[in-house]
Amino acid sequence: MENLPDAVVYPGSKEEIERIVAFCHENSVPLYVYGGGSSVTRGVEAVCGGITLDLRRRFTKVISFNETDQTITVESGISGPDLEDALNRAPERFGAQRRYTCGHFPQSFEYSAVGGWVVTRGAGQNSTYYGNIKDIVLGQEYATPTGLVKTYGLPAHAVGPDLDEIMMGSEGAFGVLTHVTLRVFRYMPKNRRKFSYIFPSWEAARNAAREIMQSEAGHPSVFRLSDPEETDVMLKLYCVEGTPLGFVMSKLGYKRMQRCLLLGWTEGQRGFARNLRRVLGKIARQHKGFPLTGYPTKKWEHGRFRDPYLREALQDYGIIIDTMECGVRWDNMEAVHAGVRAFAKSRPRTICMTHLSHAYPQGANLYFIFIGRFESKEEFLEYQYGIFDNIQKYGASMSHHHGVGKLTSPWVKDSIGENQLEVFRALKHHFDPRNVMNPGGTVALDLPDEQTRRPRFAGRTWDDPAY
Ligand SMILES: Cc1cc2nc3c(=O)[nH]c(=O)nc-3n(C[C@H](O)[C@H](O)[C@H](O)COP(=O)(O)OP(=O)(O)OC[C@H]3O[C@@H](n4cnc5c(N)ncnc54)[C@H](O)[C@@H]3O)c2cc1C
């Protein structure tokens, strides 16, 4: 076991958190925050020891629900399922007229908390319609070593830079997020219209996806396009291969390792969801998309929060599954996809599946999944770092929604530029002058200069043209 804190504290109120932050500042004790603990970027590792605040037990209450404004204010340790349950049952819980949804469903929904979503700038699987968490947050309160920060909580303002944006992405390194006010949405699952299409090629599918996002017909909710390698795996996993649907697909010339699967659903007001579904189908057909019914989407939905945990079982057999996600524009999407894939596949017997999700009119998130058997930790890290290098090399962001944590911080300076990193560091110095909040490399804020370059390993184990 490594990177454990010396003590774990379970605060039950905002005031208790404020006192703990003040204590750590006065005594220079490192302070880490544990939300749901689902960070995949080493965010919660207490690399300097000290205290970890675990918010899951006693800091999970709903503070207020406002149906007039359609907002909810909560303690930041509330879990995804508890928040969604409160909103779905708003008439029973708060005497509301309607049922509501939070609209934010990361794949880690069941094991993550609102505070973690906000400070890592997360994105849920339905973000193409509801927005990323940064679009859903209306107001925040932080306990920082130099005092309290409370943002306006208004839908818009023009009073200087946006403090909400400044705090989102701080990953526990500026202070502890205590209370959050979120926008909420009317809950109308019956209006959902599922779809799935198969396209003859990655290019045709990408063009269709872009056209859908730019059509001005509105945005679908779940919107997920798999590249050829992932498509073949999904068609097997979702039992489409071997069915009449699979047979028709092959007869029509949708070939293995070329065809691409687009799936998702539209939602919102009934007429809107239906019309968008219709427009989307028309665009898909114009790009040689063939409808596969809502069946693959149903299968995906069934495992949407559970499938990734297969990786824990596979680790017992020495097989590692890792993921990396990045923000891209439409015009450099193919360069990023091809470049990262060329590196990933240069290692023998390694699977590299990619999908596009969280789409915008100007681009999307590309999500890479790597599966392979690795002989040692060093071999795995060498491979992982090569992926990061290539993401940076082809101009994508180092993260679209997982955040930086302590994992990709050595790539941050080259990725965003020295001047921008200095802005982040000036903010860190303002909020946390003694560096007690999440110290040890978070978002490169306290990395010494010599560590702001990616670590290198001696001895490589496979050919890599990208170096
Ligand atoms: C299987 C799997 C699937 C995932 N899918 C997605 C996905 O679809 N979308 C997505 O966005 N992410 C995803 N993630 C990444 C992760 O779940 C998100 O980053 C999530 O938002 C983290 O929330 P958490 O509550 O678990 O935070 P934690 O892991 O507890 O913490 C994350 C970081 O935030 C800090 N932090 C947490 N709470 C607070 C607080 N109240 N105040 C200050 N700092 C705080 C921690 O110190 C840490 O640095 C996935 C992770 C896994 C394991």
Side-chain angles (χ1 to χ4, degrees):
M1 297 291 254
E2 55 187 21
N3 299 334
L4 298 177
D6 297 300
V8 177
V9 177
Y10 301 95
S13 70
K14 190 168 76 160
E15 292 70 26
E16 281 179 14
I17 293 177
E18 288 163 9
R19 286 210 299 276
I20 295 164
V21 171
F23 170 86
C24 288
H25 172 63
E26 278 153 24
N27 297 284
S28 295
V29 176
L31 182 59
Y32 296 90
V33 189
Y34 198 99
S38 69
S39 167
V40 283
T41 58
R42 306 186 48 220
V44 292
E45 286 181 32
V47 295
C48 301
I51 294 176
T52 283
L53 279 185
D54 188 336
L55 306 181
R56 290 173 300 175
R57 285 207 194 154
R58 300 179 57 231
F59 199 60
T60 58
K61 293 181 277 305
V62 173
I63 304 293
S64 62
F65 173 80
N66 183 329
E67 191 167 23
T68 308
D69 294 342
Q70 285 198 186
T71 61
I72 190 165
T73 301
V74 294
E75 291 177 343
S76 63
I78 190 170
S79 73
D82 285 352
L83 172 66
E84 184 63 6
D85 179 67
L87 290 168
N88 289 176
R89 294 193 306 109
E92 297 84 3
R93 285 283 301 268
F94 314 115
Q97 303 286 318
R98 290 191 165 84
R99 301 190 184 280
Y100 293 89
T101 175
C102 73
H104 188 79
F105 303 99
Q107 200 176 30
S108 55
F109 180 69
E110 292 169 321
Y111 300 107
S112 56
V114 171
W117 299 348
V118 174
V119 301
T120 57
R121 298 176 73 84
Q125 291 170 336
N126 302 54
S127 71
T128 303
Y129 176 76
Y130 290 108
N132 297 343
I133 196 70
K134 74 176 180 61
D135 307 305
I136 298 174
V137 166
L138 198 72
Q140 306 168 76
E141 281 185 63
Y142 283 81
T144 82
T146 43
L148 305 184
V149 172
K150 185 171 178 180
T151 68
Y152 267 128
L154 294 171
H157 71 82
V159 185
D162 189 340
L163 201 57
D164 275 303
E165 283 283 355
I166 285 172
M167 301 309 282
M168 287 188 278
S170 57
E171 301 193 25
F174 291 177
V176 183
L177 172 59
T178 52
H179 288 182
V180 194
T181 301
L182 301 168
R183 299 174 164 90
V184 300
F185 307 87
R186 293 182 182 183
Y187 183 54
M188 300 180 284
K190 62 184 180 310
N191 295 348
R192 283 180 193 158
R193 293 288 178 273
K194 295 194 169 84
F195 59 83
S196 69
Y197 289 88
I198 192 84
F199 291 87
S201 67
W202 176 231
E203 187 183 3
R206 268 193 346 262
N207 287 338
R210 177 166 61 82
E211 184 56 29
I212 290 165
M213 291 308 299
Q214 295 175 344
S215 69
E216 304 294 353
H219 297 160
S221 181
V222 171
F223 193 61
R224 181 184 162 118
L225 171 63
S226 298
D227 80 345
E229 191 161 350
E230 186 172 280
T231 294
D232 283 354
V233 172
M234 287 179 76
L235 291 175
K236 278 205 181 75
L237 258 177
Y238 299 163
C239 308
V240 175
E241 282 231 317
T243 65
L245 213 52
F247 178 74
V248 173
M249 213 169 37
S250 305
K251 276 284 166 215
L252 289 172
Y254 293 93
K255 296 194 182 71
R256 284 194 185 154
M257 281 310 280
Q258 290 182 16
R259 59 196 178 183
C260 288
L261 177 67
L262 173 71
L263 59 74
W265 63 69
T266 63
E267 64 183 298
Q269 189 267 342
R270 194 157 61 132
F272 170 83
R274 268 193 192 160
N275 185 55
L276 177 56
R277 170 72 187 82
R278 193 180 54 75
V279 173
L280 185 152
K282 199 168 150 208
I283 296 172
R285 283 191 297 277
Q286 282 165 356
H287 290 79
K288 301 198 168 41
F290 175 72
L292 292 183
T293 76
Y295 175 73
T297 310
K298 260 194 208 144
K299 296 289 277 187
W300 171 85
E301 187 184 10
H302 181 71
R304 68 186 290 203
F305 299 133
R306 297 277 158 90
D307 287 348
Y309 302 107
L310 185 65
R311 87 178 176 167
E312 322 306 325
L314 287 174
Q315 268 179 27
D316 293 345
Y317 299 92
I319 297 169
I320 304 281
I321 305 186
D322 196 31
T323 62
M324 179 67 194
E325 37 73 57
C326 56
V328 295
R329 295 185 314 273
W330 293 110
D331 76 353
N332 75 338
M333 189 177 292
E334 188 35 23
V336 177
H337 178 254
V340 173
R341 220 183 119 73
F343 172 80
K345 297 297 284 187
S346 69
R347 182 178 188 273
R349 294 184 297 283
T350 308
I351 295 171
C352 172
M353 308 189 291
T354 311
H355 60 257
L356 173 168
S357 53
H358 316 290
Y360 315 88
Q362 286 71 35
N365 157 64
L366 274 187
Y367 193 97
F368 297 93
I369 303 172
F370 315 98
I371 308 178
R373 193 186 282 278
F374 292 85
E375 298 305 326
S376 65
K377 184 175 161 188
E378 284 69 30
E379 190 197 0
F380 169 70
L381 289 177
E382 178 78 8
Y383 183 71
Q384 189 188 50
Y385 293 174
I387 301 290
F388 297 164
D389 288 346
N390 279 277
I391 282 180
Q392 184 168 317
K393 175 175 164 185
Y394 290 99
S397 66
M398 287 313 293
S399 171
H400 171 271
H401 56 265
H402 285 168
V404 173
K406 301 171 191 86
L407 184 68
T408 54
S409 48
W411 283 261
V412 166
K413 187 160 96 180
D414 283 346
S415 185
I416 64 173
E418 191 159 0
N419 205 13
Q420 189 170 325
L421 180 57
E422 284 312 316
V423 174
F424 293 175
R425 285 183 169 171
L427 289 164
K428 166 78 172 170
H429 184 71
H430 168 79
F431 291 119
D432 181 26
R434 293 188 190 155
N435 190 25
V436 295
M437 296 302 312
N438 208 348
T442 304
V443 198
L445 294 168
D446 60 348
L447 276 190
D449 260 0
E450 64 279 9
Q451 287 176 26
T452 54
R453 284 275 131 68
R454 63 92 93 192
R456 290 207 170 263
F457 291 94
R460 304 236 329 278
T461 49
W462 71 95
D463 291 337
D464 167 22
Y467 275 140

